[in-house]
Amino acid sequence: METLRMVTVVAPVNIAVIKYWGKRDENLILPLNGSISGTLSTNQMCAKTTVSFSRNFTRNRIWLNGVEETFENRRLINCLNEVRRRAKEQGKISPEELEYNVHICSVNNFPTAAGLASSAAGYACLVASLSKLYQLDGDISSIARQGSGSACRSIYGGFVEWIAGDKNDGTDSCAVQVVDSNHWNEMRVLILVVSENKKKTGSTAGMQTSVATSELLKTRVSQVVPKRLADIKQAIYNKDFKTFADITMQDSNQFHAVCLDTYPPLVYMSEVSHAISDLIHQINEEAGKTIVAYTFDAGPNACLYLLEEHVPLVLAAVNHVFPTTQNADTYFTGIPVTLDSQLEKKLPKIVERTPWDPNALRYTVHTKIGEGPKELTAADHLLGANGHPTPMAF
Ligand code: DP6
């Protein structure tokens, strides 16, 4: 039997601090404004993808989280076509191999239903693995962008900027690293997964309606984002947490204001989300300095950026206001942390607050800034020697 050429890659989630919202080209996925995000460590959350091609594969096939899907998704096809187009140009793959069908198998190690940027990690992983299979050189973020806009930022580690670009063909719309994952080594991220199952309008449809109807979005794109991009990059270079946090929270708030300015309005934050934002402002106020920032994407979950030294206190405060009846090991996931036992002494006003009924939060993830996609070894392949998913793929 022929040995299949096979590549397996893990790729990270990223959480924007300056949000991407609105496209100037739907097919190429070109944004109205630039954006910046932190790439999260793949130790806690990641997508994992195995790709292979063979003369024996009779059609293109894809399995996602153990279930076979049809190979009809326009964005998936655009990514594969662009990888093959570049591979042909670069000439390392034979014309015969370029014609072979592919098998793709991908899993997320976190629940996709939780709305945790799964498409960004998924498309970054798809494009990074295909690019290795087809031996591409050069920047691949502009290919990942064509799967899902935010995916282009998951191609690099650390803090990453997606340059909006202004060319019609999108060749200048790609991601660049602002700083690597070691630069602000103390930075931590807490994800608070809010208990709620309501189906919200997806990002793609939501931003289309915003572009068509929101006046505030126009002002945001032309008057607000350019300065914020410059200022937050400076704050990241200088490790100036207060400026970083202020801009992050203001940009999240403006993004949700644009959502409300959309007609009909898009409501992504829930009552619990607003209570979390309120709590964070109260923590900063009582601490006498800004020690934590929130940001919310197109869903109710909160993502908190904070420095390592403040994780035990902030998590103790969150846990006081949002108690849980769950076991600690399934509730506090990710990097281990011991809650600060001096909450009452350090933040007495928070302790005076009446807690919510238990289980408003489903679980928490403690993670940090990490690196971009990484190739794994044969032991991690999700496809077997016959090109079909192994038990690991389910
Ligand atoms: C709110 O990248 O999911 O998370 O390009 O249509 O696939 P498409 O949208 P997507 O939008 C993400 C929007 C956001 C903000 C951000 O990540 O910058």
Side-chain angles (χ1 to χ4, degrees), residues 14 16 18-21 23 29 35 75 119 147-151 153 203-204 207 255 297-298:
N14 71 76
I18 302 293
K19 304 295 186 192
Y20 146 56
W21 196 253
K23 298 182 183 67
I29 310 195
S35 52
R75 291 173 167 203
S119 69
S148 187
S150 55
R153 298 185 310 238
S203 301
T204 309
M207 65 177 87
F255 156 51
D297 281 338

